[in-house]
Amino acid sequence: MSRGTFPDGFVWGVSTSAYQIEGAHTEDGRGPSIWDSFSDAQDACDHYHRYPGDVRLMKDLGLAAYRFSVSWPRVLPEGSGRVNAAGLDYYERLVDELLAAGITPYATLYHWDLPQALEDRGGWPERDTALRFADYARIVHERLGDRVHTWLTLNEPWVAAFLGYGAGVHAPGRRSAADAFRAAHHMLLGHGLAASALRSAGAARVGAVLNFAPVMTPAQVADPARPLSEEDAEAVARIDELTHGQFLEPMLRGRYPERLLKVVESAAGLGHVRDGDLAAIAQPLDLLGVNYYAPSVVRAQPGSPADPAYPGSDGVLFCTVPTAVTAMGWPIVPGALTVLLRRLSREYPDQELMITENGADFADTVTGDGIHDVDRVSFVEEHLRALLAALDEGAKVRGYLLWSLLDCHEWADGYQRKFGIVHVDFATQRRRLKDSALWYRDVVRRNGLGDRRPRRPTLETVAARAKVSRATVSRVVNGDAAVRPEVRESVLRAVKELGYVPNAAARSLAARRTDTVALVLSIPRPDDALTAAVVQYVPSVLEGAGKQITLMLADTSESRRRVVQHVEARLADGVVLLPTDGADPLAERLARTDVPLVLLGRPAIASLVPYVDADNTGGAAAATEHLLRQGRRRIGLICGPTHLVAVQDRMAGHRDALQRAGLLPHVALAEDTPDSGASALTRLLADDRRLDAVLATSDHLAIGALRAASEAGLRVPDDLAVVGFGDIEAAAYTTPPLTTVRTPATDQAMALARLLLSRLEGRHTTPVVLPSRLITRASA
């Protein structure tokens, strides 16, 4: 191969999954899946009705392969028994459309959407589910087997088992290590039985898709050959067996790793592993699908509790790494793909491989002249170069299927994630090709990478888009408050649309680097879990990247003046700022310097400064929708203080959810104390004695509401449901335990550090908004 060119016959395509794009969840006899119960994909991308246009898009891009998944509940609404002919008719139409367009179909039979009827009978922890899966495989092959020649049984069984049954963050939301291990084994058994059934029916090629996250220490991210201490080597090996060996070894060698069996036995026993199971699982694989996004980074740390997603991981710390990240917070480490493929080729030399998923979530902006997703192009290109390096070493990789064709419903994260190379306007279902789609089309046409890299916009480009002078753009970029608001808004819009990265930081740092970062706390809040997480984890990540940390308080006018002097004197390469709530003059002043700055929390006024925040709007909407699903219709809101941006966002999420249900909000303002929350609920009850639920914008307010409800003689939740926000430590110990919205403190801290590192590297950065999660307890 020449530099940048892939082998002849290399397969280029894209991947999707049924639940994420089909929509039509209640049409033509489809039954509910566990994801319908756990999340809400609404109409998703309406691929069920719009597949002809989506196939035309694939054809226009020159793609040779389309990996889609078959929805089990669309074919068998009850999971077994009655076959829904209309469901099979749909997949027949889709396959025929693909073949007519010259696109090879790759059918995945299970991409996490277990029929709810089977979950009600025990789900994957029950052996019978594996038997029903084999029956389902036979039924689908009987209809499509004459046209579909490559069948993939499972997609990422580790995710389905350990995030769904172990950690509870995916459907069906269980938190049981025993259930997770049993589910994993029965998925493997289902794979083996289905593979045997498919081959008996004449299937040409049968494979499976696993998620791969090469396990390494922080030092190995930069140097994969770095030797490990005995303790770190043991930690890496243990997580590797839980993630990879648990599935690779049974599938390809008919055995479980001995050390893993000890972990399984202690958590779940071994009664579910019966004689003959491993022989049934170890069906020859014609193709092993490799899904790669990021590595797992760990090190030994005695005393660390086990991660629920990794039962048996006691004493292992999952680390962040000092590298650029996607909008989802995942580290960008293309070289780990080369390491992974090198290892698979060494340990399983005869196994044919295909990259079945690889892609990234980045924030996109739709403009009149396109969607300029430079970072996605850069991500894919870097990973294709890593793939080329592995191919040059002899890796047997026959193709690359990018994730994903369309922006879609990203499982528990909903619609906020954008992995597609085709933008979808979910209100109108209009499709638009992003720059990444056009770039990928060119890669496919020449079967390789070009020499030219995507060009990033300049200050002049922004000025032309905003129809202002270059000097005006420079003033806005540097935080000049004297610029008229409408001009500022126009420039900021152009910056966002074009993905412009100010070069001032790069110029100043090129002239002088200190390898020091200032961590500035505007208001010391020692009892705040988020501040504590930032103080703990931001220095850890940045020190791992070779930075020294200067901790500075900015709680008085004099201390704020010293911070500005420190930064203007170029005594720091970058600044992490925990600003005051609301508009913060210190943030505005620091933004005018040439030093990269990142903020914790969404600022009150739009600016060029990237920030990290939790999805307060989505969290409040999820809490309100939970109450509505329970039949609550007279829902009060206790909120305050309302000058806080986070509280404003929570109010907006609650209001929007009520409006969608045709209801009006009932609001009581309060200070952020239990006593104030109790007083606010008393006022709400005085206005409406039929109030049947209350959402508070903080747990402190909700705890006060619980007390006031008890004093009023109301039973919680029978008479009144109560939901808080924040999941403070006390929330689980109230009477009754408080339903609340958990905001990810540690993840926000990690994201802050990574965001600053991305700015220091000169990468385009956008705000990072991390998902909140409703924690349902007895109060609601």
Side-chain angles (χ1 to χ4, degrees), residues 339-351:
V339 172
L340 165 65
L341 296 174
R342 183 184 295 136
R343 174 194 171 181
L344 290 174
S345 299
R346 180 181 68 250
E347 297 185 6
Y348 309 98
D350 298 326
Q351 182 60 59

Side-chain angles (χ1 to χ4, degrees), residues 647-692:
V647 172
Q648 294 167 12
D649 289 344
R650 292 167 192 178
M651 291 173 64
H654 172 72
R655 181 191 64 242
D656 293 347
L658 286 182
Q659 286 179 347
R660 289 192 292 270
L663 301 175
L664 295 175
H666 302 277
V667 181
L669 302 181
E671 296 301 318
D672 193 20
T673 66
D675 286 347
S676 187
S679 298
L681 180 60
T682 301
R683 295 197 304 273
L684 284 171
L685 291 171
D687 291 339
D688 184 359
R689 291 298 301 178
R690 293 185 295 164
L691 195 75
D692 58 15

